[in-house]
Amino acid sequence: AESLFDIIANVHRIKYENSALSDLKNSGNLKNVLNDSLRKYLIALEPLVIQVQGQEEAVIDLRNQALNFMKEKGSLRVIIDQNEVEERLGLPKLSKSKSSNIHLLGEVEFENILINYIAVTNNSISEQYPKMENHIKKVIDIIERELYK
């Protein structure tokens, strides 16, 4: 079973390098891409990536809100002990910690942060990333067809 810490410990970001496309657009050479469909897909790529990056920033912001809430109203030590990361941090393991973070689950503000976090994360996974992946696959497909004409 995953703990709350496992769920919010890591966030992922795409690495998007657009210098070649930016050069094409800024120099006016994008007009030299003769395939209309490819040109349209290339023009539409950057706004799509910006949208995905906005989603990723929202996930990071909500994750940080959850972590800050846990720091203010919970015990990070309990989280560390429950996830057995104390060795990596150079901390001794507590013997049967008496404190708990279960009270956080009764906090409406914390619940709202987590619901937003889950909603934005699920939207990224089920909508935004697949949309961008399909767009990039379409660009690759068009380029491959052009190369093998």
Side-chain angles (χ1 to χ4, degrees):
E2 283 187 288
S3 72
L4 179 60
F5 180 81
D6 293 328
I7 293 168
I8 64 172
N10 297 306
V11 291
H12 303 282
R13 289 181 148 172
I14 60 164
K15 291 184 179 178
Y16 174 63
E17 171 54 51
N18 71 339
S19 59
L21 183 55
S22 288
D23 286 349
L24 271 177
K25 286 165 60 175
N26 294 336
S27 67
N29 287 328
L30 194 56
K31 69 180 181 314
N32 295 333
V33 174
L34 299 179
N35 184 303
D36 289 339
S37 185
L38 177 58
R39 191 171 47 257
K40 287 176 187 171
Y41 272 94
L42 289 173
I43 290 168
L45 180 59
E46 191 165 20
L48 190 58
V49 170
I50 289 169
Q51 185 177 18
V52 168
Q53 289 172 328
Q55 285 279 120
E56 290 173 336
E57 289 301 320
V59 168
I60 290 166
D61 180 56
L62 289 162
R63 192 250 347 227
N64 290 341
Q65 287 180 41
L67 288 172
N68 288 336
F69 193 93
M70 288 190 301
K71 282 191 265 186
E72 290 173 21
K73 302 206 177 187
S75 168
L76 290 179
R77 183 58 196 221
V78 168
I79 294 168
I80 289 168
D81 280 358
Q82 288 173 344
N83 291 281
E84 300 177 351
V85 292
E86 64 280 332
E87 272 185 43
R88 278 188 305 174
L89 299 175
L91 298 170
K93 180 135 180 93
L94 290 180
S95 58
K96 278 290 187 192
S97 175
K98 291 189 172 124
S99 59
S100 166
N101 283 321
I102 197 74
H103 67 281
L104 293 176
L105 298 177
E107 298 272 352
V108 173
E109 182 182 354
F110 191 58
E111 180 182 52
N112 290 341
I113 292 168
L114 293 180
I115 288 170
N116 280 328
Y117 176 83
I118 290 166
V120 174
T121 300
N122 284 344
N123 181 262
S124 295
I125 292 167
S126 65
E127 301 288 331
Q128 300 299 320
Y129 289 134
K131 184 177 177 183
M132 188 171 66
E133 179 184 26
N134 290 336
H135 191 95
I136 292 169
K137 283 180 178 178
K138 187 67 176 171
V139 169
I140 291 168
D141 183 53
I142 295 169
I143 290 171
E144 285 178 344
R145 280 190 277 127
E146 284 294 314
L147 288 173
Y148 298 110
K149 271 187 173 180

